[in-house]
Amino acid sequence: MELLLVIILVLMIFGSIYSLNAKDLLSAVVSYGIVGFGLVISFLLLQAPDLAIVQVVVEVLTLIIMIAAIKNTQKEELSSKFEAKTLINYTLMIILALVFILIFEKMTGTLSGFGTDTMRMSQTYLQGHKITKSANLVTGVIFDFRAYDTLGEATVLFTAVIGVLTILRIKGKKDK
Amino acid sequence: MIVYILCFILFLIGLYGVIAKRNLIKMIIGLAIMEYSINLFLIVIGYVEGGTAPIITKNFKHSGFVDPLPQAMILTAIVIGLATTAVLLAVAIRLYKKYGTFDIDEIKSLKG
């Protein structure tokens, strides 16, 4: 179980490295799909079927939007010239990575190991089916205990749709 | 423990994409990879060895489930991540229409 998860995660890591270093933008987007669909399989292995279904839909939509964005554009990434700015960027990245490594080390010290979750927080939610009468505990949490969160999520989605339509509107002020 | 570390490596790769790459599409891909790694990390924390999905069937035991709380939270986060990526890509398409390139250095120098 843990071994399978490790294999899929290593595949995802290789996919993301190739995706970020590919010369062609189309192959970058396609190998980004490896990361998303690897995530779907990991969710299935981790006993989260609802998440796997949502992730499949989201991944397909993201890939379609990305391919639509790079269609009819310059596919090749320009060769990078080495400047002082590049050096500053890499230094910044190494500093940020060190900060994140420190935070990660502190954080995982208080966590329990893989597969030994004690579920302190969700004891009430485990009894939730008696209140909500929902056989699926996850949907019980989403649509009953935390329905306002789901309402906020729907608001964010509609705001995003309005934002995309506004940005991509063809009619508008004429370019000077 | 090794699963946590691999999730964190995936996060760092996304960070590399956001900071070191100059192409807008690559930066968006890096941001999405960071988001995926965080989602996976939180679900991995909630996993219980030998647990089943938190769906009640005819013969269920209360002790045999994985944690339903992170799953419910991440379900919201995935959809919001799609919204973020879509808006970012719309901005990228608009910038390409105006400047004819995805390279952020060229867009800066074209501003004049």
Side-chain angles (χ1 to χ4, degrees):
Chain A
M1 172 57 221
E2 195 177 353
L3 185 72
L4 265 176
L5 201 60
V6 167
I7 292 170
I8 289 170
L9 260 166
V10 170
L11 186 69
M12 281 165 73
I13 286 171
F14 280 125
S16 57
I17 290 173
Y18 182 75
S19 169
L20 289 175
N21 287 319
K23 272 261 174 268
D24 187 39
L25 275 185
L26 191 63
S27 53
V29 170
V30 169
S31 50
Y32 162 72
I34 294 175
V35 185
F37 289 113
L39 193 62
V40 173
I41 300 172
S42 324
F43 281 157
L44 278 179
L45 284 176
L46 291 166
Q47 303 290 337
D50 311 88
L51 285 177
I53 295 167
V54 173
Q55 181 67 40
V56 166
V57 175
V58 163
E59 185 60 31
V60 169
L61 277 177
T62 313
L63 284 182
I64 288 172
I65 300 171
M66 275 190 180
I67 289 176
I70 64 169
K71 189 189 64 175
N72 300 329
T73 61
Q74 118 211 346
K75 292 286 192 322
E76 296 281 315
E77 194 182 6
L78 297 173
S79 59
S80 55
K81 25 189 201 306
F82 196 80
E83 295 170 0
K85 209 186 287 172
T86 326
L87 204 67
I88 294 172
N89 275 355
Y90 277 95
T91 324
L92 192 69
M93 192 185 76
I94 289 169
I95 293 170
L96 265 177
L98 283 176
V99 170
F100 277 122
I101 285 171
L102 276 179
I103 294 172
F104 179 77
E105 207 180 2
K106 274 230 188 287
M107 188 184 68
T108 45
T110 59
L111 280 178
S112 49
F114 177 73
T116 55
D117 186 34
T118 51
M119 291 200 240
R120 277 179 316 200
M121 297 279 286
S122 46
Q123 282 308 321
T124 320
Y125 292 122
L126 281 179
Q127 309 293 327
H129 65 99
K130 289 173 189 158
I131 308 168
T132 62
K133 302 284 188 282
S134 160
N136 189 336
L137 293 180
V138 176
T139 48
V141 173
I142 289 176
F143 289 115
D144 205 310
F145 292 114
R146 293 192 167 270
Y148 281 124
D149 282 4
T150 312
L151 192 65
E153 177 199 328
T155 316
V156 169
L157 259 187
F158 279 113
T159 316
V161 169
I162 292 170
V164 169
L165 287 180
T166 313
I167 292 168
L168 291 183
R169 196 171 48 142
I170 299 170
K171 276 185 188 173
K173 264 193 284 182
K174 277 179 187 166
D175 292 326
K176 283 165 199 166
Chain B
M1 194 62 201
I2 188 162
V3 182
Y4 296 167
I5 294 171
L6 285 174
C7 284
F8 186 65
I9 291 173
L10 201 60
F11 179 86
L12 287 184
I13 291 168
L15 189 74
Y16 159 74
V18 171
I19 292 179
K21 286 289 161 185
R22 295 187 311 164
N23 193 303
L24 274 173
I25 299 289
K26 294 272 179 74
M27 291 169 86
I28 294 169
I29 287 177
L31 205 66
I33 287 172
M34 277 165 86
E35 177 204 316
Y36 283 176
S37 73
I38 294 293
N39 289 351
L40 183 60
F41 181 66
L42 290 176
I43 294 297
V44 164
I45 287 176
Y47 181 70
V48 177
E49 192 68 55
T52 58
I55 297 170
I56 290 165
T57 49
K58 261 181 187 167
N59 42 2
F60 74 99
K61 317 181 284 294
H62 267 302
S63 53
F65 287 152
V66 297
D67 202 339
L69 187 59
Q71 292 193 14
M73 302 286 115
I74 296 303
L75 201 58
T76 312
I78 288 175
V79 177
I80 290 178
L82 171 69
T84 320
T85 314
V87 173
L88 281 172
L89 280 167
V91 173
I93 293 171
R94 197 70 185 160
L95 280 173
Y96 189 86
K97 269 185 191 160
K98 192 156 172 60
Y99 294 110
T101 177
F102 277 133
D103 197 302
I104 49 169
D105 284 351
E106 284 196 20
I107 289 173
K108 268 183 202 160
S109 61
L110 279 174
K111 203 170 62 181

